[in-house]
Amino acid sequence: FYQAADICVIPSLYDPFANVTLEALAMGLFVVTSTNNGGSEILSPSMGSVIQEAHSLSSWCEHLEQALANHLKTPDRALHIRNQVAHFDFAHTLPTWIQACV
């Protein structure tokens, strides 16, 4: 589904850090989510859109319209997003954790 999608919408009302956030970013998707998703803290404007009021239907509509108008997935845009989250890859973080435990 990530491969076929243009954007990823995560309508969190409460989520400390939705794994789907990193999964979507790793697939090069622009993410639309709320501040109730802790994953929103890693989003930059080129990677995603953060909705301040999760219960505001008009905010969701506005952000979705902007995302669909300006952030459809292209190979270049997907690569840009993936490169911004490459440091979260398990292959990069595991050695850091191992070193911290030694």
Side-chain angles (χ1 to χ4, degrees), residues 2-3 8 19-31 42-43 47 73 75 77-90:
Y2 291 129
Q3 189 174 9
C8 179
N19 287 338
V20 68
T21 307
L22 279 178
E23 292 168 356
L25 294 170
M27 290 298 292
L29 293 175
F30 186 84
V31 172
I42 67 165
L43 297 178
M47 296 165 40
K73 187 169 60 176
R77 194 172 285 148
L79 182 60
H80 175 73
I81 291 172
R82 282 194 301 270
N83 287 339
Q84 290 187 69
V85 295
H87 63 283
F88 290 115
D89 187 276
F90 193 65

Side-chain angles (χ1 to χ4, degrees), residues 13-69:
L13 295 178
Y14 173 77
D15 205 327
F17 193 111
N19 287 338
V20 68
T21 307
L22 279 178
E23 292 168 356
L25 294 170
M27 290 298 292
L29 293 175
F30 186 84
V31 172
V32 178
T33 191
S34 70
T35 55
N36 296 336
N37 171 7
S40 67
E41 295 176 9
I42 67 165
L43 297 178
S44 68
S46 65
M47 296 165 40
S49 182
V50 181
I51 297 166
Q52 301 299 315
E53 296 293 328
H55 293 285
S56 170
L57 181 58
S58 62
S59 289
W60 282 99
C61 290
E62 178 184 332
H63 285 258
L64 289 173
E65 287 173 359
Q66 289 176 2
L68 290 170

Side-chain angles (χ1 to χ4, degrees), residues 22 85-101:
L22 279 178
V85 295
H87 63 283
F88 290 115
D89 187 276
F90 193 65
H92 297 281
T93 57
L94 181 60
T96 303
W97 281 101
I98 290 172
Q99 188 60 35
C101 295

